[in-house]
Amino acid sequence: MKYFVIGDEDTVLGFSLVGVFGMQATNAQQAKRAWDKAVDDSQNGIIIITDEVANMIRPIVDRFLFSESFPLVVEIPSPRSKESGTDLRALVNKAIGVAL
């Protein structure tokens, strides 16, 4: 099982430093393209997406958050988000139910 991150440049770069592949998205078209790529790879078990990018494709993200069981979607605050003080490890742990 692999992780896949979708977000701004800094978020994708940060996750790449720990071996998580991802794609940057600055508009809805890029966000949709990144989402499709993440979902198409059956090895991606967890999609990490920033709230800012998730809002660009909210109906698609919500369908997975509320009705689909796989892959697991973890929405994290973007660097410019008001919730940026949130511990990312705690968010992922809460979403998957396992301490990383």
Side-chain angles (χ1 to χ4, degrees), residues 42-57:
S42 63
Q43 293 296 310
N44 291 328
I46 299 174
I47 298 174
I48 302 167
I49 186 167
T50 61
D51 57 357
E52 194 172 87
V53 174
N55 287 334
M56 294 177 193
I57 55 171

Side-chain angles (χ1 to χ4, degrees), residues 31-85:
K32 175 76 168 86
R33 192 174 317 119
W35 181 268
D36 290 343
K37 181 172 178 123
V39 172
D40 286 345
D41 185 348
S42 63
Q43 293 296 310
N44 291 328
I46 299 174
I47 298 174
I48 302 167
I49 186 167
T50 61
D51 57 357
E52 194 172 87
V53 174
N55 287 334
M56 294 177 193
I57 55 171
R58 179 55 61 194
I60 297 168
V61 173
D62 283 351
R63 186 182 55 179
F64 276 80
L65 281 172
F66 299 120
S67 66
E68 300 288 336
S69 60
F70 199 77
L72 178 66
V73 177
V74 179
E75 195 170 325
I76 63 172
S78 63
R80 293 183 295 247
S81 177
K82 294 174 185 163
E83 299 178 31
S84 63

